[in-house]
Amino acid sequence: MGKLKLFVLFLLFCVLAFLSWRIFYEFPDEWSISSEKKLPIVYSDNYDITLFGLQKLHSFDSQKYSKIATYLTERVGISKEKFHAPKKIGDDDLLLVHTQKYLDSLHNPAVVAGIAELGVLAKMPDFVLQERLLDSLRFATNGTVLAAELAMEEGWAINLAGGYHHAKADSGGGFGFFADVPIAIKKQQEKNPKLKVLIIDFDAHQGNGNEMIFSDDRRIFILDIYNRNNYPQDEEAKKYIDFDRPIGSLGSDEYLDVVLESLPLAIKNAQPGLIVYNSGSDALLGDSLGKMNLTREGLIKRDELVFEYALKSKIPILMVLSGGYSPASAGVIGESIENILKNRIKVD
Ligand SMILES: [Zn+2]
């Protein structure tokens, strides 16, 4: 057989293989609670931050992670063994995004206090801060890395922490120490350099860290809806938002109109192979840092819409929780995840 014929046969084989993959490949869309299989939900008991009660000085509910996990186990009936548990991330992976100089600076309690916006931390010894604060964040950061892996395999995944979108390569800010989402994306790009990612950032604050880290990466698209009057008002980072939606304190209906206007447009334009949803419950009415007016029902609807659009477009979606540490936050996030799961898993 001539080389040309072989080549034509090979091409035909490729086309048939692609077509059958398109026809038969579907995301598994139903998990059963009673099955042996784990759910693509990532959680560790190490996520909570306990600094000898000092965390109570802060406006953060630093136990929100275990509260959400408890909500899912007690109210939804998912046993804890169903969650994937991450290991602590090592410096090698942090260096995919951060500079060594920055990582070294996190051994200076004054730097840590500045990023956590909690002055009293400057008086604590380095080893305590590493053990009681930064190690928790290392677990949470690797949780996002693991969840990205699971999202690519299963079609969706949720890390019950993460979304530290103010962390830049060489600095932290607004409680963002490690740029978990950029690290997770870079790990995926190592395997698939062509992977395009859409970051949907609905936290009440502008995601300036992610924007700066990906400023020269044309494979990454960012849709950012945030309160324009909030920290950080980073004009330099703003230049790298592909779909920039700074808003005032809108009511739920108007807010959801902005979501409905921008979400399909961003997905259509970016054509991503992965969506990272930086959800952010600080858009909730009453959150002292977010200063927005989204009701409980509005927030649940918002999260549902993002999942619905991603899954309808057959794009894997990874959700991270990002900001929102008011006392009401954990409960609303629990309800919202329960609402998302209703369409994903069979509770029997
Ligand atoms: Zn925020």
Side-chain angles (χ1 to χ4, degrees), residues 58 108-122 172-177 231:
H58 208 282
N108 177 350
V111 172
V112 173
I115 298 169
E117 295 168 357
L118 193 54
V120 69
L121 298 186
F175 205 72
F177 287 85
Y231 165 91

Side-chain angles (χ1 to χ4, degrees), residues 42-44 46-47 84-88 139-140 142-144 146 159:
V42 181
Y43 171 73
S44 162
N46 296 301
Y47 283 2
H84 289 261
K87 295 195 178 82
K88 199 161 74 172
F139 276 101
N142 221 19
T144 301
L146 175 57
N159 181 21

Side-chain angles (χ1 to χ4, degrees), residues 49-157:
I49 296 158
T50 46
L51 275 164
F52 310 116
L54 276 177
Q55 72 279 2
K56 295 203 178 81
L57 294 174
H58 208 282
S59 51
F60 280 18
D61 176 4
S62 58
Q63 261 90 59
K64 83 166 179 178
Y65 312 111
S66 59
K67 284 182 190 163
I68 298 164
T70 303
Y71 183 97
L72 295 178
T73 50
E74 290 179 2
R75 298 280 293 273
V76 186
I78 301 168
S79 72
K80 246 186 168 178
E81 295 75 57
K82 287 267 187 291
F83 299 146
H84 289 261
K87 295 195 178 82
K88 199 161 74 172
I89 200 164
D91 283 0
D92 283 359
D93 283 343
L94 293 178
L95 286 166
L96 286 172
V97 165
H98 296 294
T99 60
Q100 184 65 55
K101 199 173 163 209
Y102 171 61
L103 296 186
D104 291 344
S105 79
L106 296 178
H107 287 284
N108 177 350
V111 172
V112 173
I115 298 169
E117 295 168 357
L118 193 54
V120 69
L121 298 186
K123 305 251 184 308
M124 298 186 89
D126 172 40
F127 80 91
V128 173
L129 293 178
Q130 298 300 325
E131 221 169 79
R132 297 297 182 112
L133 174 66
L134 289 155
D135 277 1
S136 293
L137 297 167
R138 281 181 184 254
F139 276 101
T141 299
N142 221 19
T144 301
V145 172
L146 175 57
E149 197 80 27
L150 292 167
M152 295 305 284
E153 282 164 17
E154 309 275 9
W156 65 278

